[in-house]
Amino acid sequence: MRVLLVEDEQKISAYLKRGLEEQGYAVDAAFTGQEALDWAELVNFDLIILDILLPEVDGLTVCRALRRRANRAPILMLTARDALDDRVMGLDAGADDYLVKPFQLQELLARLRALARRATDAPKSPILLYADLEMDTRTRRVKRAAKPIELTAKEYAILECLVREPDRVLTRAEIAEHVWNYEDFNQSNIVDVYIRHLRRKLDDAFAVKLIHTVRGAGYMLSTHGDDETL
Ligand code: CA
């Protein structure tokens, strides 16, 4: 999941970025409202964390501008304590939820999981299911046919992309956009490398393969891929 973190206080931003990255999120940090708007033009973020108090262009203005541009990413507003007006205005501006500062990282993570669930048409469960595959988004544990599968953070993030949109071909660029932030993504074949690892862990021991290569297009999670998987 690719997250845009908009927070002008460097220390808070760095702390949140680290905490989110430890959970496998790919995070890009913006420090002003204008930077946030520029980032959102470039990248299709899965989630946006938006502080209200920002220099120059404030968070409410950013939120309204994003919605006017038809940006539909779930937005979590960060508001100051007791600023009830901010909360109300945040929701009116098009934010999906708000969190009052100061907050615990655990609470931020729980809110983000809830927003990510709401953003999809999938059943509103923290557990993602496809065929005999099971991903628990709270514990980040993965099982296939009830057998635990150990994945690295990036492998997990790629699999999550595929599981959230089963039976649809995702291009390498689409996958990369949701899994790496701008700083860390630089190799065009990196997605293929991780897919190879995922296949070994997820599919090798099973007759029914879940991850399929669609030549010239990308990858697809499916129980019935016509096998171009070679
Ligand atoms: Ca601030």
Side-chain angles (χ1 to χ4, degrees), residues 6-9 12 31 51-55 78 101:
V6 190
E7 164 63 80
D8 58 309
E9 286 157 79
I12 298 179
F31 298 93
D51 189 28
I52 285 203
L53 289 175
L54 296 169
L78 305 182
K101 284 177 161 182

Side-chain angles (χ1 to χ4, degrees), residues 8 23 59 87 107 123 130 165 204 215-216:
D8 58 309
Q23 294 296 313
R87 291 177 234 163
E107 186 172 9
Y130 182 79
E165 295 190 77
D204 272 9
R215 210 181 312 251

